[in-house]
Amino acid sequence: QKGYPKFKKKSSIGSYYLIGTIHVQRHRIQLPKLGWIKLKERGYIPTNSIKSATIVKEYDRYYVSVLVDQPSSPIFKPKQTDGIGIDLGLKEAVSTPSGVRIKSFKTNQTIIKLDKSLKRQQRKLSRKKKGSHNWYKQLLKVQRLYRRIKNIKKDIKRKGILSIVRTNPQFITIENLNIKGMMRNKRLANSFQQIGLGYMVEWLKIKCRDYGIELRQVDRFYPSSQICSDCGHIQPMPLNQRTYHCNHCGMIKDRDTNASVNLKQATDYTVIV
């Protein structure tokens, strides 16, 4: 191959795998070649049946993830409810017919404040000499802000998906999104990246597998936003039109709610979980 090799960065994020004799006490863990290491979270890791461990470095923090051989605990399930459809979008990241929604992060005041602080800290970083001691100190501040924003977004998405799955629906129907194609849109690429629709779909698959819920996926070209959920009439719906007003039966409904009802009523689908 032509050109210079691109070496892997070892300064910010990395991980490696450990296998062998691993002992755990309440406040510390013994790892191969590393010895006893203090734990910040005490009494969290089981003390026996540990098979392996993975050490992860994320900026200025180190995490240990252990694989434990133990039976899975039973999950409490309420009475099974009717199936639901989940519409994924930009304004409302997740919308269901019952009104459960995960709003876009653009309206979250905590993330807005952190984004403003991130801009200031990045501006300070750009003014310092790269590689200097003060540059590394400032880089750490920027990395910590990135990590906090990421954790807040992940927490919102996980809790929103879990609140839907815990209602124990008979099935869940989602869209087959072309995320790579969406990222090619220069105007909307940043918005799709900030929401992280792909992560929400993967987390939904994991939770549906844990709770034993059937997860369905309709075809990529299924016009869920253009179909009237009452009469089945199809009409064009541009992105700036947020309310569906049917020209055939006169039904007026929110665009995302109408799409989620259509996904629930879809008959042509593929079972992915």
Side-chain angles (χ1 to χ4, degrees):
Q1 296 179 1
K2 63 180 182 179
Y4 293 100
K6 294 182 180 179
F7 297 101
K8 183 179 179 182
K9 291 183 179 179
K10 298 181 180 179
S11 58
S12 56
I13 297 176
S15 65
Y16 64 93
Y17 178 78
L18 288 173
I19 191 168
T21 304
I22 301 173
H23 298 289
V24 177
Q25 294 181 359
R26 186 182 67 90
H27 63 290
R28 61 179 185 167
I29 183 170
Q30 186 184 26
L31 298 171
K33 297 184 179 181
L34 294 177
W36 287 101
I37 301 172
K38 289 184 179 179
L39 294 172
K40 192 171 183 180
E41 294 182 346
R42 300 184 176 183
Y44 181 76
I45 302 177
T47 57
N48 52 6
S49 303
I50 296 177
K51 301 296 182 182
S52 63
T54 302
I55 307 297
V56 180
K57 180 189 178 186
E58 188 177 305
Y59 307 134
D60 61 330
R61 291 187 182 180
Y62 291 86
Y63 301 90
V64 57
S65 173
V66 296
L67 180 66
V68 183
D69 185 14
Q70 65 179 31
S72 58
S73 57
I75 299 175
F76 171 75
K77 295 181 182 180
K79 186 177 180 182
Q80 195 173 56
T81 58
D82 196 11
I84 60 172
I86 295 180
D87 179 63
L88 305 172
L90 284 179
K91 186 178 180 182
E92 304 286 346
V94 170
S95 301
T96 64
S98 60
V100 178
R101 295 171 182 247
I102 299 177
K103 293 187 177 181
S104 175
F105 300 122
K106 290 183 179 179
T107 59
N108 189 297
Q109 294 300 318
T110 304
I111 295 178
I112 290 172
K113 290 179 181 178
L114 289 173
D115 283 335
K116 289 181 180 179
S117 178
L118 181 62
K119 287 180 181 180
R120 288 194 298 269
Q121 299 301 332
Q122 285 177 327
R123 203 177 299 123
K124 289 182 180 180
L125 180 65
S126 65
R127 294 186 181 127
K128 298 187 185 300
K129 184 178 179 181
K130 189 172 182 180
S132 64
H133 183 65
N134 286 332
W135 183 84
Y136 278 110
K137 286 168 63 178
Q138 186 62 31
L139 178 64
L140 190 59
K141 292 181 181 179
V142 173
Q143 290 172 342
R144 285 172 177 170
L145 282 171
Y146 270 119
R147 179 172 58 208
R148 191 177 176 196
I149 293 171
K150 182 192 73 173
N151 290 339
I152 291 173
K153 290 181 179 180
K154 186 186 291 185
D155 184 64
I156 293 172
K157 287 185 280 190
R158 287 192 174 193
K159 286 181 179 177
I161 294 297
L162 194 59
S163 66
I164 296 172
V165 175
R166 277 180 174 170
T167 59
N168 196 20
Q170 186 179 357
F171 61 86
I172 298 176
T173 308
I174 60 173
E175 304 168 276
N176 184 10
L177 297 174
N178 182 14
I179 297 176
K180 288 185 178 179
M182 293 174 179
M183 294 299 291
R184 294 193 189 101
N185 189 330
K186 295 181 180 180
R187 295 182 179 179
L188 302 177
N190 185 48
S191 299
F192 281 117
Q193 188 179 17
Q194 295 298 324
I195 292 176
L197 295 177
Y199 179 84
M200 280 194 281
V201 173
E202 291 302 319
W203 186 247
L204 183 62
K205 290 180 183 178
I206 293 171
K207 291 291 105 180
C208 286
R209 199 173 288 112
D210 292 343
Y211 281 76
I213 298 171
E214 183 179 290
L215 183 60
R216 302 174 179 178
Q217 192 176 58
V218 298
D219 186 68
R220 181 170 293 179
F221 301 102
Y222 179 73
S224 59
S225 299
Q226 301 177 8
I227 303 174
C228 176
S229 57
D230 285 357
C231 66
H233 174 71
I234 299 177
Q235 64 186 37
M237 282 289 292
L239 285 174
N240 60 352
Q241 192 173 340
R242 304 311 306 173
T243 304
Y244 190 96
H245 190 178
C246 182
N247 298 329
H248 185 261
C249 67
M251 186 270 295
I252 300 175
K253 193 177 289 185
D254 180 74
R255 176 196 180 101
D256 297 331
T257 304
N258 178 68
S260 60
V261 174
N262 287 326
L263 290 169
K264 174 187 173 182
Q265 298 172 354
T267 56
D268 187 12
Y269 54 84
T270 304
V271 179
I272 57 176
V273 172

